[in-house]
Amino acid sequence: MRIAIIGTGYVGLTTGVCFAFLGHQVDCLDTDESKIDSLKKGKIPIYEPGLEELLLVARSNLRFTTRAEEAIAAAEVVFVAVGTPPLPNGSPDLSFVRAAAQSVGTHLVRDYTVVVNKSTVPIGSGNWVDAIVREAYIARKGKKPEGCFAVASNPEFLREGTALADTLYADRVVIGSDDSRALEMLYTLYRPLLEQSFTPPAFLPRPEGLAAVPLIATDLASAELIKYAANAFLALKISYINEIAQLAEKVGADISQVAKGIGLDSRIGTRFLQAGAGWGGSCFGKDTSALISTAQEYRLTMPIVAAAREVNYRQRERVVEKLLAELKILKGRVIGLLGLAFKPNTDDLREAPALDIAGKLIERGATVRAHDPVALERAKRECAGLGVVWCDKPEDLAQDADALVLVTEWPQYRELDWERLAREMRTPFVLDGRLFLDRARLAKAGLRCAGIFG
Ligand code: UGA
């Protein structure tokens, strides 16, 4: 099939490259000329393992362009995968979605095109996009569209860092539309993935036993709600374990054992029960907040989702409290942060706990140094005003430092030369914000180590 994808961020690019790999003809559209130029040269503007390699494999089916008029006119299916960043009041900024929908309406020429919301948009946005496409079409053509397009929702469940595997070997695919022809077209589009009929790339082997991917074909509103309900559930699973971890600390229980003990109950599941500094990233914070504000429009409260948010943001404060308990005074202290990205295997700094923690420590008069194996250059560019001293090597954090804090569990941080770090620090203290480090090894290196819990 011939498809167009508007937006070349994490979601748009991954989706485009995967569909091209599955044999579809894909136009990736963006208004940012420099981004499109570098993509044409095979350069990926984000850090996502395997994406550059898959782009090479799929490149004969891929085009990168800023010319909406060509890409949209040719496409049987147009995906809207633009950003929906949070506004100061917590609701998502839909101006990019609006612009994309206007562009679609202006450039539609085929008898029938499916317009798919891939961006996470508030429940009801399908209808809103439908209205915008319609208006733009009428403004351009001077007549009603008369069934020449339908809107669908196709939420994505990919995680940054494992985006390709999450897409090609998805747990499920969800498509929603009130138009049955749109659902049929999306089914055709996803068929190679649903049936797992493609030959996997060598560097992305198919998980053992995966024979097919389940499809949920439903109405528009249900598909939109599935996305929010899934993210909110994952977010509250993390907050739940963090809440239990607080009690575990008080009663002297080991939260890792507790998490394992409850997670092995298949009704609960072991994943997303890692206690620590809490969630960050562009999704959980934004989506839980959007869910609460949608509920408010219907005079509903969502106390469980609200509590998950509260517990999460308390976790960042907890890092500061633990440091205070250890160092007594933060003014004049030098604190090194290991990790800036909101999680390992991404360079994404949106809502990263490390940045929040850095701000809190600086506010209290500490000097904050920070390192990240991948997100450092981005942090230098995007967070110049924060007042953090950026360090190119993790060892640079240690010189006369009073504490090191592990904020992002990059695997290489487990293997640091802890003896050397201990020698260089003023106070050899490490706070493990993700319960990730080998405490016995740190102790052997002469470091005192405390976990965010315990
Ligand atoms: C999340 C969802 O997992 C995806 O399914 C969804 O598609 C995506 O949001 C989205 O809506 O676009 P992502 O934000 O990339 O994906 O990252 P996750 O792997 O879910 O991690 C989110 C945060 O939770 C990270 O800061 C991570 O450190 C934290 N986390 C995760 C924990 O603190 N504990 C855990 O056990 C798991």
Side-chain angles (χ1 to χ4, degrees):
M1 289 175 88
R2 178 133 216 150
I3 67 178
I5 297 185
I6 309 179
T8 56
Y10 288 96
V11 173
L13 255 187
T14 306
T15 309
V17 170
C18 287
F19 276 133
F21 169 73
L22 293 174
H24 300 297
Q25 297 297 314
V26 182
D27 283 335
C28 291
L29 255 174
D30 206 296
T31 46
D32 184 336
E33 303 232 1
S34 64
K35 217 168 164 187
I36 290 297
D37 279 345
S38 69
L39 282 164
K40 279 182 179 162
K41 292 179 197 134
K43 275 206 162 140
I44 300 274
I46 51 172
Y47 178 85
E48 184 58 48
L51 193 52
E52 214 154 82
E53 290 88 328
L54 198 65
L55 187 145
L56 260 182
V57 176
R59 76 186 150 188
S60 60
N61 289 343
L62 265 172
R63 278 195 321 193
F64 295 101
T65 177
T66 54
R67 299 175 67 93
E69 63 281 15
E70 286 172 13
I72 291 167
E76 294 161 80
V77 182
V78 179
F79 283 91
V80 176
V82 292
T84 53
L87 287 167
N89 69 1
S91 64
D93 177 355
L94 295 178
S95 56
F96 301 108
V97 178
R98 179 196 296 275
Q102 276 166 343
S103 173
V104 174
T106 307
H107 300 303
L108 278 184
V109 291
R110 297 177 68 95
D111 291 347
Y112 186 75
T113 306
V114 186
V115 183
V116 186
N117 265 340
K118 192 85 178 152
S119 304
T120 302
V121 285
I123 299 149
S125 297
N127 297 2
W128 178 72
V129 164
D130 188 286
I132 295 169
V133 174
R134 192 170 297 275
E135 267 167 36
Y137 184 95
I138 294 171
R140 175 74 187 258
K141 296 264 172 42
K143 58 173 184 177
K144 287 188 180 170
E146 309 290 6
C148 79
F149 79 95
V151 172
S153 163
N154 171 217
E156 51 77 24
F157 302 101
L158 62 85
R159 287 160 302 165
E160 289 175 20
T162 52
L164 295 180
D166 287 351
T167 304
L168 291 176
Y169 310 124
D171 287 341
R172 78 301 208 186
V173 170
V174 174
I175 54 178
S177 179
D178 299 334
D179 183 292
S180 58
R181 189 170 168 195
L183 290 176
E184 276 163 35
M185 283 179 61
L186 286 175
Y187 171 71
T188 311
L189 188 70
Y190 271 106
R191 202 165 166 174
L193 191 150
L194 297 171
E195 295 176 354
Q196 289 291 302
S197 55
F198 61 90
T199 308
F203 54 90
L204 257 182
R206 177 173 288 131
E208 218 171 296
L210 180 70
V213 169
L215 175 74
I216 310 281
T218 183
D219 59 275
L220 205 46
S222 302
E224 289 173 341
L225 182 54
I226 286 170
K227 169 70 191 192
Y228 280 100
N231 268 3
F233 189 83
L234 293 168
L236 68 92
K237 208 172 166 192
I238 300 166
S239 282
Y240 176 75
I241 201 67
N242 281 332
E243 187 171 284
I244 294 293
Q246 294 176 33
L247 183 61
E249 181 180 74
K250 295 277 183 221
V251 302
D254 176 348
I255 189 59
S256 312
Q257 293 298 313
V258 175
K260 205 190 254 177
I262 63 172
L264 286 172
D265 182 329
S266 60
R267 292 168 302 175
I268 297 176
T270 49
R271 296 162 79 193
F272 280 68
L273 283 180
Q274 176 60 48
W279 80 65
S282 66
C283 305
F284 289 171
K286 177 164 68 83
D287 293 353
T288 48
S289 149
L291 198 56
I292 290 170
S293 62
T294 300
Q296 268 163 2
E297 288 171 25
Y298 295 87
R299 293 176 173 276
L300 284 175
T301 55
M302 298 211 120
I304 295 180
V305 180
R309 289 174 58 80
E310 193 192 319
V311 170
N312 190 59
Y313 297 114
R314 230 197 269 157
Q315 293 307 106
R316 301 172 183 188
E317 199 56 50
R318 201 178 163 84
V319 170
V320 178
E321 283 163 14
K322 284 264 166 177
L323 286 170
L324 256 179
E326 178 68 26
L327 303 172
K328 310 298 178 208
I329 289 170
L330 290 177
K331 269 194 195 57
R333 302 288 194 188
V334 177
I335 295 164
L337 302 183
L338 285 160
L340 287 161
F342 80 95
K343 64 170 187 178
N345 294 316
T346 180
D347 63 345
D348 198 338
L349 293 162
R350 285 175 290 178
E351 279 224 36
L355 298 177
D356 208 8
I357 292 165
K360 288 177 194 292
L361 293 171
I362 291 169
E363 225 176 77
R364 285 168 167 82
T367 297
V368 176
R369 299 177 185 154
H371 171 265
D372 190 283
V374 170
L376 188 66
E377 291 310 312
R378 192 172 219 184
K380 286 182 191 171
R381 278 197 313 274
E382 292 178 6
C383 316
L386 192 60
V388 168
V389 182
W390 310 113
C391 296
D392 291 325
K393 296 195 290 293
E395 292 76 21
D396 298 345
L397 299 174
Q399 191 70 52
D400 293 324
D402 297 288
L404 295 181
V405 185
L406 184 288
V407 192
T408 313
E409 66 278 35
W410 285 99
Q412 50 270 57
Y413 287 155
R414 272 180 84 97
E415 311 306 329
L416 291 175
D417 182 351
W418 292 106
E419 282 78 11
R420 174 172 163 199
L421 295 174
R423 272 198 309 277
E424 290 181 1
M425 290 177 76
R426 181 158 50 195
T427 336
F429 175 67
V430 176
L431 178 62
D432 183 357
R434 296 283 176 184
L435 306 183
F436 168 74
L437 297 170
D438 180 346
R439 296 243 203 136
R441 189 161 157 202
L442 265 68
K444 226 172 113 201
L447 284 152
R448 219 152 10 87
C449 181
I452 180 166
F453 298 106

